[in-house]
Amino acid sequence: MTRRALLTRPRPDAAATMRALQARGFEVMLEPMLEVVTIPDVAIDLTGVQAFLVTSANGVRALAESTPERSLPVLAVGEASARTARLLGFQQVANADGDVAGLAALVRRRLDPGNGVLLHAAASQVAGDLKGLLEDSGFQVRRVILYEARQSEALSEEAVAALAGGQLDAALFYSPRTAATFASLLGAAGLDDACRGIVAYGLSPAVADQIGGLPWRRLRIAARPRQDAVMALIDEDFGPVPQGAGRGNAQ
């Protein structure tokens, strides 16, 4: 029997997750809730900056497009953003392996407020108050808006048909804003009850807060905010990978 999963991540972030799902025998319907758009020609002032702070892989990509600087330390919120920073040539990368609070804690352990400004490569909307957390500890944070994540305005016809027809077994949510956008669009389409046969997987409790009111068959939250933790839950729920898995996907 074919397994089908709805993936709500933005396209730049979705490829690795799609591969992981396909390797587990899922057909994947990619339904991005956000479109990531880099803001062009942003001037970045590196005067007095001791380190970069990044809270998403999209922030790393936008930072790399905006400056050739690669030697300053990068403190990343989690696995995906740290990996992206290394791939894009940043030479000193530390991974908080958590959320905004975890990143603030990493900064406090690694850096000294007296050594200069922290530059946060941010979106037009930010999750959590990283700036406030660090300023309370004596750090100066310069937030630079380098990209925006534009919300989808409606579910695609394909997603509506799959939801209405009970054709989905799993749905994956990796950010609170993505989850909130999905919940809003699902309600607008009159499809709240279409979740009853779906197991939802969230990267963190903050994600669960946005979709917890929907009537899922089950809502599962990763033990750690990492993709491998999400996949571990999927392996628990769906069992061994069927023979011939990982060949093709639906989008």
Side-chain angles (χ1 to χ4, degrees):
M1 183 176 178
T2 302
R3 302 166 170 179
R4 294 185 175 89
L6 183 74
L7 180 58
T8 59
R9 304 191 77 183
R11 290 186 185 277
D13 300 321
T17 310
M18 290 180 69
R19 289 193 297 270
L21 288 167
Q22 289 165 356
R24 289 163 170 77
F26 284 88
E27 290 184 358
V28 183
M29 174 171 286
L30 181 58
E31 183 76 3
M33 293 291 100
L34 303 174
E35 178 189 6
V36 178
V37 180
T38 300
I39 300 173
D41 302 323
V42 176
I44 295 183
D45 180 7
L46 296 181
T47 304
V49 171
Q50 64 164 311
F52 295 126
L53 307 181
V54 293
T55 46
S56 73
N58 293 315
V60 178
R61 296 185 191 102
L63 179 65
E65 289 183 26
S66 301
T67 178
E69 170 60 48
R70 296 292 186 272
S71 62
L72 284 173
V74 174
L75 281 71
V77 71
E79 171 196 20
S81 49
R83 182 175 61 250
T84 302
R86 294 186 186 101
L87 288 172
L88 290 173
F90 291 94
Q91 298 167 20
Q92 302 180 65
V93 181
N95 177 9
D97 200 20
D99 53 15
V100 166
L103 178 55
L106 177 66
V107 170
R108 295 186 197 103
R109 291 195 304 271
R110 294 288 188 93
L111 303 178
D112 184 332
N115 289 341
V117 176
L118 306 176
L119 191 145
H120 178 199
S124 55
Q125 294 188 29
V126 295
D129 186 15
L130 179 62
K131 191 172 189 288
L133 288 171
L134 290 172
E135 288 179 343
D136 286 345
S137 299
F139 288 93
Q140 181 181 351
V141 180
R142 184 183 302 158
R143 182 185 292 156
V144 180
I145 308 303
L146 297 179
Y147 71 101
E148 59 181 331
R150 299 173 182 169
Q151 294 181 196
S152 179
E153 295 183 354
L155 296 173
S156 69
E157 292 181 3
E158 293 80 5
V160 168
L163 287 159
Q167 299 169 14
L168 296 168
D169 302 292
L172 283 72
F173 303 93
Y174 277 56
S175 76
R177 192 174 175 208
T178 290
T181 301
F182 177 82
S184 176
L185 298 183
L186 193 73
L191 289 172
D192 285 0
D193 284 346
C195 294
R196 294 189 182 279
I198 300 172
V199 182
Y201 296 89
L203 192 68
S204 69
V207 173
D209 288 344
Q210 302 300 324
I211 54 173
L214 295 171
W216 303 105
R217 179 156 65 93
R218 193 177 185 190
L219 174 58
R220 300 273 267 153
I221 303 303
R224 300 171 67 192
R226 295 171 54 102
Q227 177 158 290
D228 55 2
V230 175
M231 294 301 151
L233 293 178
I234 290 175
D235 291 341
E236 287 179 14
D237 293 341
F238 288 90
V241 176
Q243 188 175 2
R247 297 179 298 185
N249 62 283
Q251 293 188 37

